[in-house]
Amino acid sequence: MDQAGAAERYERLKDYLSADADNLRLLSETADAAYQAGRPEAAAELIERHAAIATLPPSLINLLGLCALAEGRDEDAVGIFSSLLAHQPEDRGLRFNLAWARSRTGDPQGALELLEEASHTPQAAALAVRSLHQLERLEEAVALGEQWEGRSDDSDLWAALATAALDHSDMEKAALWAPRATGTAEGQAALGMLAAADGRSAEAREHFQRALALRPDSARGRLGLGTVLLSEDAPAEAAR
């Protein structure tokens, strides 16, 4: 369901809830719909209402952690997921959520320790690649990509791998992986860096501009475009 559909579902369930405020199942479903609709604050409030009536099930505690992440309360999310994982240590979904939260608090080593089985989903693999990258273990990051050849078309994974390959100076792998991530800012920036390295300035500029159109705060997009503009003797534009 897309966000518009989720928003419609949320509004419908919220109307039902106004007539049956203590219905635990309805509170749970409405909280989930609020989160899916991009309303994490509303979802968290509904979960708290549930908690005031009855003990929260693990699924709602997990959702509370996701809400904390969506609101930028990363340390809170670490605490929530850690408490859950203590009771469900083999739950891969929880391990990923806690790894994600730890990564966002600047703890790539802590994230990586939870991703020992990173090959089980592309999302976990992408997070493992980024954690390895942050730890400057680039050879391991690239090796993880080789394990995923032919197994996934997840653009975020290939974007992370292309960036790691570039920073590892493995241009061959970067050129293989970056085209698989053209729908991402990171993938476009990687393609721009490859084009710039080959002296294809106009092509590089287009890729960096696409990266910034997808994500205006892309550091690699900004740096790449500025560098290309300098090479084209446009210092004022590059400075901007």
Side-chain angles (χ1 to χ4, degrees), residues 54-99:
T55 301
L56 292 177
S59 60
L60 280 185
I61 299 174
N62 182 65
L63 183 58
L64 195 61
L66 293 174
C67 290
L69 283 176
E71 294 180 75
R73 295 182 289 106
D74 300 331
E75 292 288 356
D76 289 347
V78 168
I80 292 167
F81 294 132
S82 294
S83 66
L84 264 182
L85 195 63
H87 300 288
Q88 303 176 61
E90 303 305 317
D91 189 311
R92 286 180 168 182
L94 278 177
R95 291 176 71 84
F96 173 79
N97 287 345
L98 180 54

Side-chain angles (χ1 to χ4, degrees), residues 148-170:
W148 274 88
E149 286 289 354
R151 294 176 56 196
S152 174
D153 59 0
D154 185 87
S155 58
D156 187 56
L157 171 58
W158 296 114
L161 285 165
T163 303
L166 275 170
D167 287 0
H168 191 46
S169 299
D170 190 335

Side-chain angles (χ1 to χ4, degrees), residues 25-227:
R25 180 176 177 180
L26 194 52
L27 279 166
S28 178
E29 291 181 1
T30 309
D32 179 70
Y35 176 77
Q36 297 298 332
R39 300 282 303 277
E41 304 93 339
E45 181 183 341
L46 289 162
I47 294 169
E48 294 298 340
R49 282 174 55 183
H50 186 296
I53 301 169
T55 301
L56 292 177
S59 60
L60 280 185
I61 299 174
N62 182 65
L63 183 58
L64 195 61
L66 293 174
C67 290
L69 283 176
E71 294 180 75
R73 295 182 289 106
D74 300 331
E75 292 288 356
D76 289 347
V78 168
I80 292 167
F81 294 132
S82 294
S83 66
L84 264 182
L85 195 63
H87 300 288
Q88 303 176 61
E90 303 305 317
D91 189 311
R92 286 180 168 182
L94 278 177
R95 291 176 71 84
F96 173 79
N97 287 345
L98 180 54
W100 182 21
R102 283 186 174 176
S103 175
R104 287 180 42 156
T105 61
D107 182 13
Q109 182 60 47
L112 201 58
E113 288 169 1
L114 290 157
L115 295 168
E116 294 173 0
E117 298 177 9
S119 61
H120 74 280
T121 68
Q123 294 77 20
L127 183 55
V129 168
R130 291 196 168 95
S131 297
L132 288 165
H133 197 161
Q134 285 182 272
L135 294 166
E136 300 184 5
R137 292 161 57 180
L138 292 168
E139 187 171 347
E140 293 175 67
V142 172
L144 186 55
E146 293 169 352
Q147 296 175 27
W148 274 88
E149 286 289 354
R151 294 176 56 196
S152 174
D153 59 0
D154 185 87
S155 58
D156 187 56
L157 171 58
W158 296 114
L161 285 165
T163 303
L166 275 170
D167 287 0
H168 191 46
S169 299
D170 190 335
M171 308 305 265
E172 183 178 345
K173 284 287 194 303
L176 176 66
W177 293 337
R180 302 177 186 179
T182 54
T184 68
E186 194 174 1
Q188 288 291 345
L191 287 167
M193 293 174 75
L194 288 164
D198 285 344
R200 293 177 277 121
S201 176
E203 183 181 337
R205 179 170 13 92
E206 288 180 6
H207 284 303
F208 290 131
Q209 287 171 336
R210 288 173 192 157
L212 291 170
L214 288 165
R215 198 177 77 204
D217 65 346
S218 167
R220 287 177 184 260
R222 287 175 176 271
L223 176 62
L225 182 57
T227 302

